[in-house]
Amino acid sequence: MMNTEEQILAAARKVFINKGFDGARMQEIADEAGINKALLHYYFRTKEKLFERIFSESFQLIKPVFNLALGPEPDLHQFIRQFVNAYHALLKQMPFLPQFVLQELNRNPGRMIGLIGKQQIPMNDIKRVIDAEVKKGNISAVSPENLIVNLISLIIFPFVARPVLQEVVFGGDDAAFDNFLNGRSESIIQFFLLALSPEKS
Amino acid sequence: MMNTEEQILAAARKVFINKGFDGARMQEIADEAGINKALLHYYFRTKEKLFERIFSESFQLIKPVFNLALGPEPDLHQFIRQFVNAYHALLKQMPFLPQFVLQELNRNPGRMIGLIGKQQIPMNDIKRVIDAEVKKGNISAVSPENLIVNLISLIIFPFVARPVLQEVVFGGDDAAFDNFLNGRSESIIQFFLLALSPEKS
DNA sequence: AAATGGTTTAACTTTTTGGTTAAACTTTTT
DNA sequence: AAAAAGTTTAACCAAAAAGTTAAACCATTT
């Protein structure tokens, strides 16, 4: 059984992620948790503090992790395949997290400080790997920055823009969009590797 | 000189796009416009009505337009080149619109009804064109839905995710990100056409 | 079982906020 | 220039929302 603090966090998670900081109401969180509103303040003092707790865990959850497979002989193709599959699967579990985090970050970029740590993306390592692969003739030339942004864009954007995309590309068909998402991971990988493959006509 | 109504709209645009509906304050809009708060209600009755006006124009502005070049012999490569350049240039003019529209749409998808009209994306036409190009051997096989989503994702996402991307990929360097955006359009086109080019090893 | 410390609640306070109103001011009409 | 219509403001109102408090409740210790 969940204790009170856990109940509050679960309710806060739900409400904050749905409504954002500005749209969330302490009363709604209390109702969702089935407890008295005063308990929110007893356990977390202020709305801001409670929010920070939820935002922090959310950010850590979906912050893309690039610490994979950067040993001496890294396989870029394998890396891309694994990363896309893993990250896409994660987002399917929590489809609203990206929109939530991006929204709050746009509203207040300062929220990021302290949350990134040294987990920064090792751009130099990645650049080294890509340059090596280009030199070996395994891939066509791309700037590492664009490569990484492309990768992340293709994975995340459909989750952020689901309402418009579903309406405008899939005629509002909910099941059709779910179906699209199911094949999406494979499609991204294929598209990406095609774009990277060398020796074009 | 701007009349009162235009001043209000300009102020509302600024505040709503920055803060969203929930975060915006009527008093702040009035201050921004340099007028008395009562005038907001005199001209637009309610916060909701004023917001709808701003949201509607915003949505129309960034709704991707696909009515280009779908005549009898459409050139897909040319179309992609033009579309990416035009849409990217538009977003550079109004970099915060996508996040604003997507946020409000996620919060309340019902806002879209009445705003799309018959401007729906002509998926069947596009599918026809792509299938024809595939058959002619001009491009490799892709589902039209994935192609369109890829295109839109690559263009829009960097604007929506600027805070994180700038921090995590560009070490927080503002000028570096601006620079990245300047070359972005060309990079997308190149990447995209590579992914579409046929006859891979 | 009395006392103690921690938990929970109902009721309350304060601040914020969207919206209203009546009066003042300005412009246009006659 | 008087009247009428339209515009703008300060002051006000009511509802909503965050946060506080004192008392009740519960569990654990002695």
Side-chain angles (χ1 to χ4, degrees):
Chain A
M1 180 48 184
M2 258 177 167
N3 66 24
T4 305
E5 190 169 335
E6 286 165 338
Q7 275 174 281
I8 292 175
L9 285 172
R13 213 168 279 132
K14 183 170 173 184
V15 174
F16 277 134
I17 289 173
N18 263 280
K19 308 272 180 88
F21 179 82
D22 290 326
R25 297 291 166 251
M26 293 297 266
Q27 187 59 60
E28 191 183 348
I29 295 174
D31 292 348
E32 181 70 36
I35 54 151
N36 188 282
K37 183 169 73 79
L39 276 186
L40 301 181
H41 294 97
Y42 180 73
Y43 281 94
F44 295 96
R45 194 90 189 142
T46 65
K47 184 185 183 185
E48 174 67 28
K49 288 216 173 63
L50 177 53
F51 176 81
E52 273 163 16
R53 178 76 173 266
I54 300 300
F55 180 78
S56 173
E57 71 170 41
S58 301
F59 184 80
Q60 301 299 346
L61 265 172
I62 63 149
K63 179 181 65 183
V65 180
F66 286 94
N67 359 350
L68 321 170
L70 282 176
E73 278 283 339
D75 181 344
L76 193 63
H77 286 206
Q78 198 53 31
F79 165 76
I80 288 171
R81 215 183 293 277
Q82 284 177 2
F83 178 77
V84 173
N85 277 328
Y87 202 50
H88 190 268
L90 176 76
L91 295 190
K92 285 201 68 180
Q93 297 302 311
M94 16 198 77
F96 300 117
L97 266 204
Q99 164 61 30
F100 168 64
V101 170
L102 291 175
Q103 174 194 154
E104 301 299 340
L105 239 34
N106 269 289
R107 199 75 70 238
N108 181 0
R111 291 210 186 282
M112 236 177 330
I113 58 174
L115 294 186
I116 292 187
K118 4 221 112 306
Q119 285 288 356
Q120 206 89 346
I121 294 181
M123 286 306 295
N124 286 335
D125 293 353
I126 292 177
K127 192 174 296 218
R128 192 170 40 71
V129 170
I130 289 176
D131 287 348
E133 297 268 316
V134 170
K135 199 155 276 168
K136 275 192 281 179
N138 289 340
I139 65 169
S140 56
V142 215
S143 98
E145 287 83 7
N146 274 289
L147 187 140
I148 287 176
V149 170
N150 289 351
L151 202 52
I152 301 180
S153 299
L154 292 174
I155 301 171
I156 297 184
F157 191 74
F159 291 92
V160 174
R162 172 159 190 164
V164 219
L165 293 178
Q166 181 170 314
E167 195 59 36
V168 104
V169 178
F170 293 88
D173 185 339
D174 207 76
F177 197 85
D178 276 332
N179 189 49
F180 164 77
L181 279 186
N182 282 332
R184 179 73 183 157
S185 194
E186 218 18 77
S187 172
I188 292 175
I189 293 169
Q190 195 180 324
F191 183 84
F192 216 86
L193 295 185
L194 278 174
L196 288 185
S197 64
E199 297 154 34
K200 298 296 163 50
S201 59
Chain B
M1 179 51 184
M2 258 176 165
N3 65 27
T4 306
E5 190 169 335
E6 285 164 339
Q7 277 175 279
I8 292 175
L9 285 171
R13 213 169 279 133
K14 183 170 173 183
V15 175
F16 277 134
I17 289 173
N18 264 280
K19 309 271 180 89
F21 179 83
D22 290 326
R25 298 290 165 251
M26 293 297 265
Q27 187 58 59
E28 191 182 350
I29 295 173
D31 292 348
E32 180 71 35
I35 55 154
N36 189 281
K37 181 167 73 81
L39 278 186
L40 301 181
H41 294 97
Y42 180 74
Y43 281 94
F44 294 96
R45 195 87 191 143
T46 64
K47 183 185 183 184
E48 174 67 29
K49 288 216 172 62
L50 178 54
F51 177 81
E52 273 163 17
R53 178 77 172 267
I54 300 301
F55 180 77
S56 174
E57 71 171 40
S58 301
F59 184 80
Q60 302 298 343
L61 265 172
I62 64 149
K63 178 180 68 182
V65 180
F66 285 95
N67 359 348
L68 321 171
L70 283 175
E73 279 283 339
D75 181 344
L76 193 62
H77 286 207
Q78 198 53 30
F79 166 75
I80 287 171
R81 215 181 294 276
Q82 284 177 4
F83 178 77
V84 173
N85 277 326
Y87 201 49
H88 189 267
L90 176 76
L91 295 190
K92 283 199 70 180
Q93 297 303 310
M94 17 199 75
F96 301 117
L97 268 203
Q99 164 61 29
F100 168 63
V101 170
L102 290 175
Q103 173 194 155
E104 300 298 339
L105 240 34
N106 269 290
R107 198 76 68 239
N108 181 0
R111 291 209 186 280
M112 237 177 328
I113 58 174
L115 294 186
I116 292 188
K118 4 222 112 305
Q119 286 287 0
Q120 206 88 350
I121 294 182
M123 285 306 296
N124 286 333
D125 293 352
I126 292 176
K127 191 174 295 214
R128 192 170 40 70
V129 170
I130 290 176
D131 287 348
E133 296 269 316
V134 170
K135 200 156 275 168
K136 277 192 281 179
N138 288 341
I139 64 169
S140 56
V142 214
S143 99
E145 287 83 8
N146 274 290
L147 186 141
I148 287 177
V149 170
N150 289 352
L151 202 51
I152 301 180
S153 299
L154 291 174
I155 301 171
I156 297 184
F157 191 74
F159 291 93
V160 174
R162 174 162 188 161
V164 220
L165 292 178
Q166 181 170 313
E167 195 60 38
V168 104
V169 178
F170 293 88
D173 184 338
D174 207 74
F177 197 85
D178 276 333
N179 188 49
F180 165 77
L181 279 186
N182 282 331
R184 178 74 184 157
S185 193
E186 220 17 79
S187 172
I188 293 176
I189 292 169
Q190 196 181 324
F191 184 83
F192 217 85
L193 295 185
L194 278 176
L196 289 185
S197 64
E199 296 153 33
K200 298 296 161 51
S201 60

